[in-house]
Amino acid sequence: MFKYCGNSRIVRIIIFLFISLWFLGLSFPVISSSTGLYILTPFLKRIYAEVCHQERYKSISIGGQQFLVCSRCLGIYTSILLSSFFSIFITIRFKKIYHLLIISVGMMFADILFYTIGLYEYSKIVAFGTGLFLGSISFPYILNEFENYLLTITPADEK
């Protein structure tokens, strides 16, 4: 399941840095609320509106400031950030990743369906949790596919 990663570390560090910038952006109102940089929030909010509905009652807030994405998206991005960090040091391999992807997507859709039909009230914790699960399963899969693609376009060393 876990294997030490060696030759693709630079690529993984670059990916982690890009994901960190993305996460910094969606966290901007929370971390910059007491600075003059807070005026950039409407611009960033517009950027993140392209990937999330940003309904206020579905967003997590800290210190009275909300993240620029909903709870579920925050869960997805949090687990992607953590997974990308850990991928610098270890390679995560799942034997039945397709099954886990189907389960994680199924759990997310079940949560959406259940609160939409009124089976229960919207829960930021449940939404965040299903996002965490989906992101933690999808990132290793996407990273593996990306690295396999890089292997196909990178010429092999000739001896």
Side-chain angles (χ1 to χ4, degrees), residues 39-131:
I39 60 172
L40 297 174
T41 298
F43 171 72
L44 290 171
K45 186 173 174 80
R46 189 162 176 86
I47 290 172
Y48 288 95
E50 297 297 321
V51 295
C52 180
H53 56 75
Q54 300 177 325
E55 292 181 36
R56 291 186 63 79
Y57 77 96
K58 292 182 177 181
S59 297
I60 294 175
S61 62
I62 296 177
Q65 300 298 324
Q66 290 187 318
F67 288 93
L68 295 178
V69 294
C70 71
S71 300
R72 189 174 328 277
C73 290
L74 183 62
I76 292 169
Y77 294 132
T78 300
S79 63
I80 287 173
L81 178 68
L82 294 172
S83 295
S84 69
F85 174 74
F86 290 125
S87 76
I88 295 169
F89 307 103
I90 57 175
T91 298
I92 303 170
R93 301 270 188 235
F94 295 102
K95 291 189 183 228
K96 299 188 180 204
I97 193 139
Y98 296 113
H99 295 104
L100 291 172
L101 278 170
I102 291 168
I103 290 168
S104 65
V105 170
M107 287 175 59
M108 184 183 71
F109 282 129
D111 177 43
I112 293 168
L113 175 68
F114 293 158
Y115 79 74
T116 300
I117 64 172
L119 193 60
Y120 58 79
E121 293 291 317
Y122 180 81
S123 168
K124 292 178 188 178
I125 294 170
V126 173
F128 184 78
T130 58

